[in-house]
């Protein structure tokens, strides 16, 4: 099965957002493909996730670019 989720953690507290990305989502992903639209920074630090931006109708991997924008150097 495939699950399409739009901002699934939007209404959750910070601690429950962390639980969603670090506990619930990995368990769900073991059984299904999960596609998520999100603005959550927790997604950047989750394991085994692919990131794609749609630019000019072309998908490209954007994890490194997003991490560079968020992390303080």
């Amino acid at each position: 099965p495939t699950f399409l989720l739009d901002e699934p953690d939007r209404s959750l507290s910070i601690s429950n957002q962390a639980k969603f990305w670090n506990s619930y989502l990995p368990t769900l992903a073991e059984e299904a493909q999960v596609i998520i639209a999100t603005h959550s920074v927790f997604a950047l630090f989750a394991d085994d996730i692919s990131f794609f931006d749609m630019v000019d109708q072309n998908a490209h991997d954007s994890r490194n670019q997003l991490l560079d924008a968020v992390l303080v150097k």
Side-chain angles (χ1 to χ4, degrees):
T2 299
F3 291 92
L4 301 173
L5 305 174
D6 184 20
E7 301 287 344
D9 59 350
R10 181 177 165 194
S11 298
L12 300 177
S13 66
I14 295 295
S15 62
N16 283 327
Q17 288 180 37
K19 287 178 189 174
F20 173 81
W21 287 99
N22 297 319
S23 180
Y24 176 72
L25 187 59
T27 301
L28 177 62
E30 289 176 7
E31 304 295 326
Q33 174 180 335
V34 183
I35 300 171
I36 300 174
T38 187
H39 293 97
S40 175
V41 296
F42 288 101
L44 291 174
F45 303 101
D47 293 329
D48 298 324
I49 291 181
S50 298
F51 292 83
F52 294 95
D53 275 340
M54 294 298 293
V55 177
D56 299 325
Q57 299 180 348
N58 296 308
H60 65 91
D61 189 342
S62 60
R63 183 177 195 146
N64 290 335
Q65 179 182 5
L66 291 169
L67 283 171
D68 287 344
V70 171
L71 297 177
V72 176
K73 294 181 181 183

